[in-house]
Amino acid sequence: MNNSETTERCNCCRDDFPISAMVSIDDVLLCEDCYEHETMACDHCGERIWCSDSVCDDSTNICQACYDEYYTRCDSCNCLIRNDDACYIDCDDDTPYCCNCFEQIEDSRKAIQNYYYKPDPIFHGNGKRFLGVELEIDIGGECSSNARELLDIANNDDNGNMYIKHDGSLEEGMELVTHPMTLGYHIDIMPWKDVMSMAVELGYRSHQTATCGLHVHVNRDSLGCDEEQQEETIGRILFFVENHWDELLKFSRRTNSQMEQWAARYGRKDSPKEQMDHVKKSYSGRYKAINLLNRATIEFRLFRGTLRYNTLIATLQLVHEICEVAFYMSDEEMSRLTWSDFVIRIGGQNYPELVQYLKERRLYVSEPVTCEEDM
């Protein structure tokens, strides 16, 4: 530096620098380092502005004037978007969204989702075991207005109980899918009676078709505290299903050929451990009585669809009770468990719908009773 050169003090770091090394912005002198760190170029107009005066997100920095004239923010993720690129849900809505958030909102607003739609699960009820229902309904049409009516009933408090998906195996129908719920929530809070009544009113059927099933998912972490314990419990579930196949076939309301197509058995082995080992070694597509391909759940696929409330609740109670005995019994106890023992146990629980259904299907220890028609 020439000792005769005039120096000035940087208004930011307060050090002295030769005037030739200073930069002015808004009549404020800055050294080169402070200029680089305290100011920036607007990404829209290129004008140099103070960093503290910029409008920015993770990828865009603009001056206030450009923001006021050309930009807005996504109401969901708060990112900057050009006015011309903003998306709006309805023509009379002035709430802007970026393209990504708009697509997510549009997906969530659809009455009928695509087959691969899988939202983050919403768990309903207090407990450890959650049951997710997939109920196929047919004949009434894959109709958005019908789907919206059913969703308005199921999600009457905007509580995210249910969504509806396309299912290519159906002729003129759709699949009702619940988020995971405890058995108590299904019975006491989920408005199944109203949903099923409206479905029938709209012309849908489930039992009275050749296409519809009722599948129940159970969370694996309710079957044991670690993977080893969960596998032991699942082995006992598989053994129970194979050991009592004739009774469960009758319970399911399916024919042998329907079972073979949609919910085939693995083949009975002599103990729960052997049963689990056999299943692990065999090819296991998802069209099995108990589908084990899902990471977080096991899926009971045995049951024919229904739009009769008592049948649905009885099915959920049966699944819950099978999981209970498999969880609490040893392999030896499960091997000795007869259907009569199992039914006697059910009689001691508060399962009026299941007891009624077992009597109707002549699977209970007492005399059968007459029943309503399944829909």
Side-chain angles (χ1 to χ4, degrees):
M1 181 180 72
N2 189 336
N3 290 334
S4 64
E5 187 174 356
T6 303
T7 62
E8 290 286 350
R9 179 162 293 176
C10 173
N11 278 270
C12 182
C13 68
R14 310 306 294 172
D15 288 339
D16 291 331
F17 295 89
I19 190 66
S20 61
M22 306 290 282
V23 184
S24 176
I25 177 171
D26 295 337
D27 297 325
V28 175
L29 285 175
L30 300 175
C31 68
E32 291 181 355
D33 283 347
C34 289
Y35 180 77
E36 288 296 322
H37 290 96
E38 301 297 328
T39 71
M40 64 177 59
C42 171
D43 288 336
H44 186 84
C45 68
E47 182 179 345
R48 202 75 187 183
I49 57 174
W50 294 97
C51 293
S52 57
D53 292 338
S54 68
V55 181
C56 59
D57 61 13
D58 290 340
S59 60
T60 306
N61 298 280
I62 55 175
C63 65
Q64 186 66 50
C66 287
Y67 174 78
D68 293 340
E69 182 71 19
Y70 302 108
Y71 285 78
T72 186
R73 284 191 182 274
C74 172
D75 192 68
S76 179
C77 71
N78 207 40
C79 75
L80 288 171
I81 44 176
R82 290 175 179 266
N83 291 334
D84 292 344
D85 295 332
C87 302
Y88 298 89
I89 300 299
D90 298 307
C91 59
D92 57 350
D93 183 9
D94 59 359
T95 304
Y97 296 97
C98 68
C99 290
N100 286 338
C101 292
F102 176 78
E103 289 175 1
Q104 292 175 17
I105 292 169
E106 282 290 277
D107 281 345
S108 68
R109 285 162 54 93
K110 284 181 185 175
I112 303 175
Q113 306 292 339
N114 67 61
Y115 178 76
Y116 298 101
Y117 177 74
K118 193 173 181 63
D120 291 335
I122 303 170
F123 292 86
H124 295 288
N126 297 316
K128 293 183 178 179
R129 182 167 299 128
F130 294 87
L131 309 176
V133 170
E134 297 172 352
L135 174 60
E136 296 165 344
I137 59 177
D138 212 342
I139 299 176
E142 188 176 320
C143 174
S144 293
S145 60
N146 288 351
R148 180 57 60 192
E149 285 204 56
L150 297 175
L151 289 171
D152 286 345
I153 296 171
N155 304 326
N156 53 10
D157 294 322
D158 196 27
N159 46 18
N161 284 330
M162 188 177 81
Y163 54 95
I164 296 177
K165 301 196 318 184
H166 163 80
D167 190 326
S169 69
L170 305 176
E171 295 172 359
E172 288 292 335
M174 47 199 179
E175 183 178 41
L176 314 184
V177 185
T178 72
H179 284 275
M181 303 172 178
T182 60
L183 178 61
Y185 191 97
H186 276 288
I187 295 172
D188 298 330
I189 299 177
M190 174 65 188
W192 274 119
K193 283 184 180 178
D194 294 336
V195 168
M196 299 172 103
S197 176
M198 177 56 70
V200 172
E201 185 177 327
L202 292 170
Y204 292 96
R205 295 296 183 268
S206 192
H207 173 87
Q208 295 176 1
T209 71
T211 54
C212 294
L214 165 60
H215 307 154
V216 183
H217 287 261
V218 179
N219 56 312
R220 285 176 180 261
D221 58 12
S222 72
L223 304 176
C225 60
D226 55 35
E227 186 174 346
E228 181 180 358
Q229 187 177 12
Q230 290 167 22
E231 285 207 351
E232 291 174 354
T233 303
I234 293 169
R236 290 189 284 272
I237 291 172
L238 294 167
F239 181 81
F240 180 93
V241 170
E242 295 291 342
N243 207 36
H244 303 293
W245 183 261
D246 290 342
E247 291 87 355
L248 291 174
L249 176 63
K250 198 170 185 180
F251 188 103
S252 75
R253 292 164 290 111
R254 287 189 187 270
T255 64
N256 275 309
S257 61
Q258 288 172 335
M259 281 292 207
E260 186 62 31
Q261 181 178 6
W262 302 111
R265 62 190 303 182
Y266 290 99
R268 184 187 180 280
K269 298 301 173 184
D270 291 334
S271 71
K273 185 179 186 308
E274 290 179 52
Q275 193 73 59
M276 190 65 185
D277 291 341
H278 168 68
V279 170
K280 282 182 176 181
K281 293 174 184 176
S282 63
Y283 169 74
S284 301
R286 68 187 181 95
Y287 296 117
K288 294 291 186 179
I290 307 295
N291 170 26
L292 302 181
L293 295 185
N294 300 299
R295 180 181 58 83
T297 67
I298 65 170
E299 179 189 17
F300 287 73
R301 294 181 52 89
L302 298 90
F303 313 107
R304 190 168 181 161
T306 184
L307 285 172
R308 180 182 173 222
Y309 174 78
N310 193 88
T311 301
L312 171 69
I313 298 303
T315 302
L316 298 181
Q317 290 169 339
L318 176 78
V319 169
H320 180 79
E321 191 60 18
I322 291 173
C323 292
E324 283 288 280
V325 296
F327 181 79
Y328 287 108
M329 284 187 174
S330 66
D331 283 9
E332 292 74 18
E333 289 171 327
M334 180 61 79
S335 296
R336 294 194 301 267
L337 182 69
T338 66
W339 182 259
S340 295
D341 294 334
F342 180 66
V343 167
I344 290 170
R345 175 188 167 95
I346 287 171
Q349 310 293 324
N350 184 26
Y351 294 149
E353 293 85 2
L354 179 53
V355 169
Q356 170 74 14
Y357 183 80
L358 290 171
K359 289 180 178 179
E360 293 168 359
R361 303 299 297 171
R362 298 178 181 267
L363 291 168
Y364 199 68
V365 291
S366 60
E367 290 298 315
V369 297
T370 57
C371 64
E372 299 177 14
E373 183 181 22
D374 258 291
M375 304 296 285

